[in-house]
Amino acid sequence: MTMPAPKVVTFGCRLNTYESAVMEKHATAAGLDDAIIFNTCAVTAEATRQARQAIRKARRENPAARIIVTGCAAQTEPEIFAAMTEVDQVIGNTEKLDAKSYMAFGMGESERVIVNDIMSVTETASHLVDGFGDRARAFVQVQNGCNHRCTFCIIPFGRGNSRSVPMGEVVREVQALVARGYREVVLSGVDITSFGADLPGTPTLGTLCRKILDLVPDLPRLRLSSIDSIEVEPALMDLIIHEPRLMPHLHLSLQAGDNMILKRMKRRHNREQAIEFCQTVKAARPEIAFGADIIAGFPTETEHMFAQSLALVTECDLTYLHVFPYSERHGTPAAKMPQVEKAVRKERAARLRALGDQQLDRFLDREIGRLAHVLIERADPDGTVIGHAANFAPVKIAADLAPGTLISARLTSRAGTTLLGTIETLND
């Protein structure tokens, strides 16, 4: 008989996905079988609105459930969720990873709102996750928080200052995941290219990746989550260009393509540096695919400035775009700047997304005919399996294969944004 289990609803980034697995493990151990836990995101006001809407719906559909709210929005604006009658408890971003937070819940020992000062946190521990629902891809948190203060961003106030997981702990976690059958590990964090600055000897992200690849030789695929290209140091650049086990897909935190807007965002790169990085990597490793975060309608952005962001998409050969209409976040410097009308932000975001769709179409068309190394992630009822190529292109194949299987597939055509292929060899 299947026992009930707590449900975790995740919003936002890959780091939240990883942390949700930790939270589910703690809540299950605590016996919170009737709990619904919302792991929220604060990157935009819309993300917070969607979380509140989902909480209200969950209460209507599950009147007896215990509803716990955590994550970045709960950390930065706990009073909003505490004021909701649907919510039983609000816990902060540090507390959500502490098993004691779940053990105490409902036993008369815990306060309804437990959100401490995130800036007081100076360490990030490794949280070993035994399973992610399959044996394909797993996320490993290597860093948390951010020392930068981009003028639009509330995330440092939800995550705290940058702090790194010691390299030995990261390696042990990757070894444990590979021993359990995982074939791909994604290194995640808020600002992973700042990894190591707070550790003895100040290792870099490149140092960490090299250590993982050397000490876990049975790991076929290592992938990076979002990185800041200006912080890519020589050791990491060497791996990006030359290491076949480091996947040829990078998601870049670019945010804009106009130098004045980048300056007003308090970013640490300019458009020329972003273009140079992408062109250098592409020339050395042509199969690589780039994704990027771009904000449309940042305060003071003119049509000419926005055109620079559009041009950046093609000049950097970006494929997977995450487009955000600018969203005012209370307490950030950008919220005090002259604002672009919301209708203009929305229209510019739509144009960026349309260009992103065109870029994706061109990228997928170029992939047809190529041999791709694919990690199978799930089986569909129609007798096909779905996975991702090394450059993160989605691939569907008519076959009966278990999640975690690695294959070489010839890409023959595409259906929408999914490539279709046939098996050439099994690589396991």
Side-chain angles (χ1 to χ4, degrees), residues 32-76:
L32 298 183
D33 299 331
D34 62 344
I36 305 175
I37 305 167
F38 288 86
N39 195 11
T40 63
C41 172
V43 70
T44 64
E46 176 63 15
T48 303
R49 187 196 68 80
Q50 289 176 355
R52 297 179 68 196
Q53 184 180 53
I55 290 165
R56 293 190 183 99
K57 181 180 179 182
R59 174 56 75 205
R60 289 195 301 270
E61 295 177 352
N62 305 274
R66 292 184 278 188
I67 292 181
I68 305 170
V69 181
T70 185
C72 287
Q75 179 70 45
T76 58

mmCIF file of all heavy atoms in Angstrom, residues 32-76:
data_model
loop_
_atom_site.group_PDB
_atom_site.id
_atom_site.type_symbol
_atom_site.label_atom_id
_atom_site.label_comp_id
_atom_site.label_asym_id
_atom_site.label_seq_id
_atom_site.Cartn_x
_atom_site.Cartn_y
_atom_site.Cartn_z
ATOM 1 N N LEU A 32 4.895 14.533 8.083
ATOM 2 C CA LEU A 32 3.936 15.557 7.646
ATOM 3 C C LEU A 32 3.245 15.114 6.362
ATOM 4 O O LEU A 32 3.338 15.753 5.309
ATOM 5 C CB LEU A 32 4.653 16.891 7.430
ATOM 6 C CG LEU A 32 5.328 17.506 8.652
ATOM 7 C CD1 LEU A 32 5.940 18.849 8.297
ATOM 8 C CD2 LEU A 32 4.327 17.682 9.787
ATOM 9 N N ASP A 33 2.514 13.998 6.457
ATOM 10 C CA ASP A 33 1.936 13.394 5.264
ATOM 11 C C ASP A 33 0.815 14.217 4.656
ATOM 12 O O ASP A 33 0.504 14.068 3.475
ATOM 13 C CB ASP A 33 1.407 11.995 5.599
ATOM 14 C CG ASP A 33 2.515 11.071 6.073
ATOM 15 O OD1 ASP A 33 3.662 11.277 5.652
ATOM 16 O OD2 ASP A 33 2.241 10.166 6.885
ATOM 17 N N ASP A 34 0.224 15.091 5.451
ATOM 18 C CA ASP A 34 -0.888 15.886 4.936
ATOM 19 C C ASP A 34 -0.458 17.301 4.589
ATOM 20 O O ASP A 34 -1.289 18.181 4.356
ATOM 21 C CB ASP A 34 -2.025 15.938 5.966
ATOM 22 C CG ASP A 34 -1.585 16.609 7.267
ATOM 23 O OD1 ASP A 34 -0.359 16.756 7.475
ATOM 24 O OD2 ASP A 34 -2.472 16.992 8.067
ATOM 25 N N ALA A 35 0.854 17.560 4.525
ATOM 26 C CA ALA A 35 1.344 18.915 4.308
ATOM 27 C C ALA A 35 1.498 19.239 2.829
ATOM 28 O O ALA A 35 1.849 18.377 2.020
ATOM 29 C CB ALA A 35 2.678 19.118 5.020
ATOM 30 N N ILE A 36 1.227 20.486 2.492
ATOM 31 C CA ILE A 36 1.558 21.037 1.175
ATOM 32 C C ILE A 36 2.531 22.185 1.428
ATOM 33 O O ILE A 36 2.214 23.145 2.135
ATOM 34 C CB ILE A 36 0.319 21.548 0.426
ATOM 35 C CG1 ILE A 36 -0.737 20.446 0.319
ATOM 36 C CG2 ILE A 36 0.702 22.051 -0.963
ATOM 37 C CD1 ILE A 36 -2.050 20.911 -0.297
ATOM 38 N N ILE A 37 3.729 22.064 0.873
ATOM 39 C CA ILE A 37 4.794 23.028 1.132
ATOM 40 C C ILE A 37 5.062 23.808 -0.146
ATOM 41 O O ILE A 37 5.349 23.230 -1.193
ATOM 42 C CB ILE A 37 6.077 22.316 1.600
ATOM 43 C CG1 ILE A 37 5.779 21.431 2.808
ATOM 44 C CG2 ILE A 37 7.168 23.336 1.927
ATOM 45 C CD1 ILE A 37 6.900 20.466 3.147
ATOM 46 N N PHE A 38 4.958 25.120 -0.054
ATOM 47 C CA PHE A 38 5.183 25.988 -1.207
ATOM 48 C C PHE A 38 6.574 26.607 -1.102
ATOM 49 O O PHE A 38 6.860 27.350 -0.166
ATOM 50 C CB PHE A 38 4.115 27.085 -1.277
ATOM 51 C CG PHE A 38 2.763 26.568 -1.688
ATOM 52 C CD1 PHE A 38 1.886 26.047 -0.738
ATOM 53 C CD2 PHE A 38 2.360 26.582 -3.016
ATOM 54 C CE1 PHE A 38 0.648 25.549 -1.107
ATOM 55 C CE2 PHE A 38 1.127 26.085 -3.392
ATOM 56 C CZ PHE A 38 0.262 25.572 -2.440
ATOM 57 N N ASN A 39 7.419 26.280 -2.058
ATOM 58 C CA ASN A 39 8.777 26.818 -2.117
ATOM 59 C C ASN A 39 8.769 27.959 -3.129
ATOM 60 O O ASN A 39 8.849 27.740 -4.341
ATOM 61 C CB ASN A 39 9.754 25.708 -2.531
ATOM 62 C CG ASN A 39 11.196 26.085 -2.272
ATOM 63 O OD1 ASN A 39 11.485 27.075 -1.617
ATOM 64 N ND2 ASN A 39 12.112 25.281 -2.784
ATOM 65 N N THR A 40 8.665 29.188 -2.656
ATOM 66 C CA THR A 40 8.339 30.326 -3.502
ATOM 67 C C THR A 40 9.563 30.978 -4.125
ATOM 68 O O THR A 40 10.699 30.742 -3.737
ATOM 69 C CB THR A 40 7.573 31.385 -2.691
ATOM 70 O OG1 THR A 40 8.431 31.874 -1.639
ATOM 71 C CG2 THR A 40 6.297 30.814 -2.099
ATOM 72 N N CYS A 41 9.298 31.855 -5.095
ATOM 73 C CA CYS A 41 10.316 32.620 -5.807
ATOM 74 C C CYS A 41 9.977 34.105 -5.672
ATOM 75 O O CYS A 41 8.805 34.482 -5.664
ATOM 76 C CB CYS A 41 10.322 32.208 -7.281
ATOM 77 S SG CYS A 41 11.374 33.212 -8.343
ATOM 78 N N ALA A 42 11.020 34.947 -5.596
ATOM 79 C CA ALA A 42 10.805 36.389 -5.449
ATOM 80 C C ALA A 42 11.383 37.181 -6.601
ATOM 81 O O ALA A 42 11.495 38.399 -6.523
ATOM 82 C CB ALA A 42 11.421 36.872 -4.129
ATOM 83 N N VAL A 43 11.756 36.502 -7.693
ATOM 84 C CA VAL A 43 12.470 37.212 -8.751
ATOM 85 C C VAL A 43 11.613 38.297 -9.395
ATOM 86 O O VAL A 43 12.118 39.323 -9.839
ATOM 87 C CB VAL A 43 13.009 36.215 -9.803
ATOM 88 C CG1 VAL A 43 11.897 35.595 -10.634
ATOM 89 C CG2 VAL A 43 14.044 36.886 -10.688
ATOM 90 N N THR A 44 10.297 38.092 -9.435
ATOM 91 C CA THR A 44 9.378 39.118 -9.932
ATOM 92 C C THR A 44 8.157 39.190 -9.031
ATOM 93 O O THR A 44 7.851 38.249 -8.294
ATOM 94 C CB THR A 44 8.900 38.818 -11.376
ATOM 95 O OG1 THR A 44 8.131 37.606 -11.365
ATOM 96 C CG2 THR A 44 10.070 38.679 -12.332
ATOM 97 N N ALA A 45 7.448 40.319 -9.123
ATOM 98 C CA ALA A 45 6.199 40.447 -8.383
ATOM 99 C C ALA A 45 5.176 39.422 -8.874
ATOM 100 O O ALA A 45 4.350 38.926 -8.100
ATOM 101 C CB ALA A 45 5.645 41.868 -8.544
ATOM 102 N N GLU A 46 5.234 39.082 -10.163
ATOM 103 C CA GLU A 46 4.320 38.094 -10.723
ATOM 104 C C GLU A 46 4.543 36.725 -10.098
ATOM 105 O O GLU A 46 3.596 35.983 -9.850
ATOM 106 C CB GLU A 46 4.501 38.022 -12.239
ATOM 107 C CG GLU A 46 3.684 36.956 -12.947
ATOM 108 C CD GLU A 46 2.180 37.157 -12.840
ATOM 109 O OE1 GLU A 46 1.738 38.253 -12.468
ATOM 110 O OE2 GLU A 46 1.441 36.194 -13.139
ATOM 111 N N ALA A 47 5.801 36.384 -9.826
ATOM 112 C CA ALA A 47 6.099 35.091 -9.198
ATOM 113 C C ALA A 47 5.466 35.007 -7.819
ATOM 114 O O ALA A 47 4.919 33.968 -7.430
ATOM 115 C CB ALA A 47 7.611 34.891 -9.107
ATOM 116 N N THR A 48 5.512 36.100 -7.073
ATOM 117 C CA THR A 48 4.879 36.129 -5.754
ATOM 118 C C THR A 48 3.365 36.034 -5.878
ATOM 119 O O THR A 48 2.714 35.309 -5.106
ATOM 120 C CB THR A 48 5.267 37.419 -5.009
ATOM 121 O OG1 THR A 48 6.697 37.492 -4.930
ATOM 122 C CG2 THR A 48 4.683 37.443 -3.613
ATOM 123 N N ARG A 49 2.793 36.729 -6.854
ATOM 124 C CA ARG A 49 1.341 36.677 -7.063
ATOM 125 C C ARG A 49 0.889 35.264 -7.406
ATOM 126 O O ARG A 49 -0.117 34.776 -6.890
ATOM 127 C CB ARG A 49 0.950 37.643 -8.184
ATOM 128 C CG ARG A 49 -0.565 37.789 -8.369
ATOM 129 C CD ARG A 49 -0.921 38.431 -9.691
ATOM 130 N NE ARG A 49 -0.605 37.561 -10.806
ATOM 131 C CZ ARG A 49 -1.383 36.543 -11.193
ATOM 132 N NH1 ARG A 49 -2.508 36.258 -10.534
ATOM 133 N NH2 ARG A 49 -1.049 35.793 -12.224
ATOM 134 N N GLN A 50 1.652 34.591 -8.275
ATOM 135 C CA GLN A 50 1.297 33.231 -8.660
ATOM 136 C C GLN A 50 1.348 32.277 -7.469
ATOM 137 O O GLN A 50 0.509 31.377 -7.350
ATOM 138 C CB GLN A 50 2.234 32.750 -9.768
ATOM 139 C CG GLN A 50 2.008 33.420 -11.109
ATOM 140 C CD GLN A 50 3.019 32.989 -12.151
ATOM 141 O OE1 GLN A 50 3.958 32.242 -11.857
ATOM 142 N NE2 GLN A 50 2.849 33.463 -13.384
ATOM 143 N N ALA A 51 2.310 32.484 -6.590
ATOM 144 C CA ALA A 51 2.405 31.638 -5.396
ATOM 145 C C ALA A 51 1.184 31.818 -4.513
ATOM 146 O O ALA A 51 0.600 30.846 -4.017
ATOM 147 C CB ALA A 51 3.678 31.949 -4.632
ATOM 148 N N ARG A 52 0.785 33.063 -4.291
ATOM 149 C CA ARG A 52 -0.393 33.323 -3.443
ATOM 150 C C ARG A 52 -1.655 32.718 -4.062
ATOM 151 O O ARG A 52 -2.495 32.147 -3.354
ATOM 152 C CB ARG A 52 -0.567 34.828 -3.243
ATOM 153 C CG ARG A 52 0.596 35.493 -2.493
ATOM 154 C CD ARG A 52 0.397 36.969 -2.353
ATOM 155 N NE ARG A 52 -0.708 37.271 -1.465
ATOM 156 C CZ ARG A 52 -1.302 38.469 -1.387
ATOM 157 N NH1 ARG A 52 -0.906 39.458 -2.175
ATOM 158 N NH2 ARG A 52 -2.287 38.664 -0.552
ATOM 159 N N GLN A 53 -1.766 32.826 -5.373
ATOM 160 C CA GLN A 53 -2.920 32.247 -6.074
ATOM 161 C C GLN A 53 -2.941 30.730 -5.901
ATOM 162 O O GLN A 53 -3.991 30.129 -5.639
ATOM 163 C CB GLN A 53 -2.839 32.627 -7.552
ATOM 164 C CG GLN A 53 -4.024 32.165 -8.385
ATOM 165 C CD GLN A 53 -3.858 32.574 -9.843
ATOM 166 O OE1 GLN A 53 -2.839 32.299 -10.471
ATOM 167 N NE2 GLN A 53 -4.850 33.254 -10.389
ATOM 168 N N ALA A 54 -1.764 30.104 -6.032
ATOM 169 C CA ALA A 54 -1.685 28.647 -5.891
ATOM 170 C C ALA A 54 -2.000 28.210 -4.462
ATOM 171 O O ALA A 54 -2.610 27.156 -4.240
ATOM 172 C CB ALA A 54 -0.287 28.172 -6.299
ATOM 173 N N ILE A 55 -1.596 28.998 -3.491
ATOM 174 C CA ILE A 55 -1.879 28.677 -2.086
ATOM 175 C C ILE A 55 -3.385 28.705 -1.836
ATOM 176 O O ILE A 55 -3.948 27.803 -1.187
ATOM 177 C CB ILE A 55 -1.150 29.665 -1.158
ATOM 178 C CG1 ILE A 55 0.364 29.412 -1.199
ATOM 179 C CG2 ILE A 55 -1.669 29.563 0.281
ATOM 180 C CD1 ILE A 55 1.195 30.532 -0.616
ATOM 181 N N ARG A 56 -4.049 29.730 -2.332
ATOM 182 C CA ARG A 56 -5.510 29.824 -2.146
ATOM 183 C C ARG A 56 -6.224 28.638 -2.797
ATOM 184 O O ARG A 56 -7.158 28.065 -2.224
ATOM 185 C CB ARG A 56 -6.022 31.145 -2.725
ATOM 186 C CG ARG A 56 -5.541 32.385 -1.970
ATOM 187 C CD ARG A 56 -6.286 33.623 -2.437
ATOM 188 N NE ARG A 56 -5.776 34.816 -1.775
ATOM 189 C CZ ARG A 56 -4.904 35.672 -2.314
ATOM 190 N NH1 ARG A 56 -4.460 35.449 -3.542
ATOM 191 N NH2 ARG A 56 -4.488 36.720 -1.648
ATOM 192 N N LYS A 57 -5.775 28.266 -3.992
ATOM 193 C CA LYS A 57 -6.388 27.125 -4.681
ATOM 194 C C LYS A 57 -6.155 25.838 -3.905
ATOM 195 O O LYS A 57 -7.062 25.003 -3.764
ATOM 196 C CB LYS A 57 -5.803 27.008 -6.088
ATOM 197 C CG LYS A 57 -6.397 25.860 -6.891
ATOM 198 C CD LYS A 57 -5.773 25.780 -8.284
ATOM 199 C CE LYS A 57 -6.364 24.612 -9.065
ATOM 200 N NZ LYS A 57 -5.734 24.479 -10.406
ATOM 201 N N ALA A 58 -4.944 25.673 -3.378
ATOM 202 C CA ALA A 58 -4.634 24.461 -2.616
ATOM 203 C C ALA A 58 -5.500 24.350 -1.371
ATOM 204 O O ALA A 58 -5.959 23.253 -1.009
ATOM 205 C CB ALA A 58 -3.155 24.460 -2.229
ATOM 206 N N ARG A 59 -5.752 25.470 -0.716
ATOM 207 C CA ARG A 59 -6.597 25.436 0.485
ATOM 208 C C ARG A 59 -8.032 25.072 0.125
ATOM 209 O O ARG A 59 -8.680 24.286 0.832
ATOM 210 C CB ARG A 59 -6.539 26.795 1.196
ATOM 211 C CG ARG A 59 -7.494 26.903 2.372
ATOM 212 C CD ARG A 59 -7.261 25.796 3.409
ATOM 213 N NE ARG A 59 -6.061 26.043 4.191
ATOM 214 C CZ ARG A 59 -5.353 25.095 4.785
ATOM 215 N NH1 ARG A 59 -5.710 23.815 4.642
ATOM 216 N NH2 ARG A 59 -4.285 25.387 5.500
ATOM 217 N N ARG A 60 -8.538 25.610 -0.990
ATOM 218 C CA ARG A 60 -9.909 25.271 -1.401
ATOM 219 C C ARG A 60 -10.039 23.787 -1.701
ATOM 220 O O ARG A 60 -11.047 23.165 -1.356
ATOM 221 C CB ARG A 60 -10.310 26.088 -2.644
ATOM 222 C CG ARG A 60 -10.530 27.561 -2.399
ATOM 223 C CD ARG A 60 -11.266 28.199 -3.575
ATOM 224 N NE ARG A 60 -10.542 28.052 -4.839
ATOM 225 C CZ ARG A 60 -9.642 28.916 -5.303
ATOM 226 N NH1 ARG A 60 -9.341 29.993 -4.581
ATOM 227 N NH2 ARG A 60 -9.040 28.706 -6.457
ATOM 228 N N GLU A 61 -9.017 23.233 -2.343
ATOM 229 C CA GLU A 61 -9.079 21.835 -2.751
ATOM 230 C C GLU A 61 -8.664 20.868 -1.653
ATOM 231 O O GLU A 61 -8.986 19.672 -1.731
ATOM 232 C CB GLU A 61 -8.179 21.626 -3.984
ATOM 233 C CG GLU A 61 -8.666 22.398 -5.210
ATOM 234 C CD GLU A 61 -7.725 22.247 -6.392
ATOM 235 O OE1 GLU A 61 -6.628 21.677 -6.215
ATOM 236 O OE2 GLU A 61 -8.088 22.698 -7.500
ATOM 237 N N ASN A 62 -7.954 21.374 -0.625
ATOM 238 C CA ASN A 62 -7.459 20.520 0.457
ATOM 239 C C ASN A 62 -7.694 21.208 1.803
ATOM 240 O O ASN A 62 -6.750 21.665 2.456
ATOM 241 C CB ASN A 62 -5.964 20.233 0.270
ATOM 242 C CG ASN A 62 -5.634 19.644 -1.080
ATOM 243 O OD1 ASN A 62 -5.698 18.437 -1.272
ATOM 244 N ND2 ASN A 62 -5.289 20.513 -2.029
ATOM 245 N N PRO A 63 -8.954 21.311 2.219
ATOM 246 C CA PRO A 63 -9.266 22.089 3.425
ATOM 247 C C PRO A 63 -8.606 21.569 4.692
ATOM 248 O O PRO A 63 -8.391 22.337 5.638
ATOM 249 C CB PRO A 63 -10.793 22.009 3.519
ATOM 250 C CG PRO A 63 -11.178 20.826 2.680
ATOM 251 C CD PRO A 63 -10.166 20.751 1.595
ATOM 252 N N ALA A 64 -8.241 20.295 4.735
ATOM 253 C CA ALA A 64 -7.647 19.734 5.960
ATOM 254 C C ALA A 64 -6.120 19.733 5.933
ATOM 255 O O ALA A 64 -5.486 19.352 6.920
ATOM 256 C CB ALA A 64 -8.154 18.309 6.163
ATOM 257 N N ALA A 65 -5.533 20.120 4.824
ATOM 258 C CA ALA A 65 -4.072 20.056 4.703
ATOM 259 C C ALA A 65 -3.399 21.124 5.558
ATOM 260 O O ALA A 65 -3.984 22.161 5.879
ATOM 261 C CB ALA A 65 -3.665 20.239 3.249
ATOM 262 N N ARG A 66 -2.142 20.849 5.931
ATOM 263 C CA ARG A 66 -1.307 21.850 6.587
ATOM 264 C C ARG A 66 -0.462 22.527 5.517
ATOM 265 O O ARG A 66 0.313 21.866 4.822
ATOM 266 C CB ARG A 66 -0.430 21.196 7.658
ATOM 267 C CG ARG A 66 -1.231 20.690 8.832
ATOM 268 C CD ARG A 66 -0.329 20.130 9.919
ATOM 269 N NE ARG A 66 0.080 18.762 9.633
ATOM 270 C CZ ARG A 66 0.745 18.000 10.509
ATOM 271 N NH1 ARG A 66 1.081 18.480 11.687
ATOM 272 N NH2 ARG A 66 1.081 16.763 10.188
ATOM 273 N N ILE A 67 -0.612 23.815 5.390
ATOM 274 C CA ILE A 67 0.082 24.551 4.335
ATOM 275 C C ILE A 67 1.250 25.334 4.920
ATOM 276 O O ILE A 67 1.078 26.167 5.818
ATOM 277 C CB ILE A 67 -0.884 25.482 3.576
ATOM 278 C CG1 ILE A 67 -1.885 24.629 2.771
ATOM 279 C CG2 ILE A 67 -0.114 26.427 2.650
ATOM 280 C CD1 ILE A 67 -2.869 25.424 1.958
ATOM 281 N N ILE A 68 2.449 25.037 4.419
ATOM 282 C CA ILE A 68 3.677 25.693 4.848
ATOM 283 C C ILE A 68 4.216 26.480 3.666
ATOM 284 O O ILE A 68 4.276 25.961 2.546
ATOM 285 C CB ILE A 68 4.728 24.662 5.309
ATOM 286 C CG1 ILE A 68 4.145 23.761 6.400
ATOM 287 C CG2 ILE A 68 5.994 25.356 5.801
ATOM 288 C CD1 ILE A 68 5.026 22.562 6.734
ATOM 289 N N VAL A 69 4.625 27.714 3.895
ATOM 290 C CA VAL A 69 5.176 28.554 2.831
ATOM 291 C C VAL A 69 6.612 28.924 3.180
ATOM 292 O O VAL A 69 6.903 29.339 4.303
ATOM 293 C CB VAL A 69 4.336 29.830 2.628
ATOM 294 C CG1 VAL A 69 4.917 30.669 1.490
ATOM 295 C CG2 VAL A 69 2.893 29.477 2.330
ATOM 296 N N THR A 70 7.493 28.749 2.204
ATOM 297 C CA THR A 70 8.900 29.078 2.396
ATOM 298 C C THR A 70 9.456 29.599 1.074
ATOM 299 O O THR A 70 8.722 29.942 0.164
ATOM 300 C CB THR A 70 9.682 27.854 2.917
ATOM 301 O OG1 THR A 70 11.019 28.247 3.213
ATOM 302 C CG2 THR A 70 9.675 26.720 1.917
ATOM 303 N N GLY A 71 10.785 29.695 0.966
ATOM 304 C CA GLY A 71 11.407 30.176 -0.257
ATOM 305 C C GLY A 71 11.715 31.664 -0.206
ATOM 306 O O GLY A 71 11.546 32.332 0.813
ATOM 307 N N CYS A 72 12.162 32.187 -1.344
ATOM 308 C CA CYS A 72 12.656 33.568 -1.384
ATOM 309 C C CYS A 72 11.575 34.604 -1.088
ATOM 310 O O CYS A 72 11.823 35.591 -0.403
ATOM 311 C CB CYS A 72 13.295 33.849 -2.738
ATOM 312 S SG CYS A 72 14.895 33.039 -2.948
ATOM 313 N N ALA A 73 10.356 34.392 -1.616
ATOM 314 C CA ALA A 73 9.291 35.359 -1.356
ATOM 315 C C ALA A 73 8.897 35.352 0.119
ATOM 316 O O ALA A 73 8.601 36.401 0.705
ATOM 317 C CB ALA A 73 8.080 35.068 -2.241
ATOM 318 N N ALA A 74 8.903 34.181 0.733
ATOM 319 C CA ALA A 74 8.601 34.093 2.165
ATOM 320 C C ALA A 74 9.708 34.735 2.994
ATOM 321 O O ALA A 74 9.453 35.282 4.076
ATOM 322 C CB ALA A 74 8.416 32.636 2.572
ATOM 323 N N GLN A 75 10.944 34.668 2.510
ATOM 324 C CA GLN A 75 12.062 35.283 3.228
ATOM 325 C C GLN A 75 12.010 36.799 3.140
ATOM 326 O O GLN A 75 12.242 37.504 4.122
ATOM 327 C CB GLN A 75 13.391 34.783 2.642
ATOM 328 C CG GLN A 75 14.631 35.368 3.303
ATOM 329 C CD GLN A 75 14.846 34.862 4.713
ATOM 330 O OE1 GLN A 75 14.721 33.675 4.968
ATOM 331 N NE2 GLN A 75 15.171 35.767 5.627
ATOM 332 N N THR A 76 11.701 37.336 1.944
ATOM 333 C CA THR A 76 11.737 38.784 1.754
ATOM 334 C C THR A 76 10.444 39.471 2.181
ATOM 335 O O THR A 76 10.470 40.629 2.586
ATOM 336 C CB THR A 76 12.026 39.127 0.282
ATOM 337 O OG1 THR A 76 11.023 38.546 -0.561
ATOM 338 C CG2 THR A 76 13.399 38.611 -0.140
#
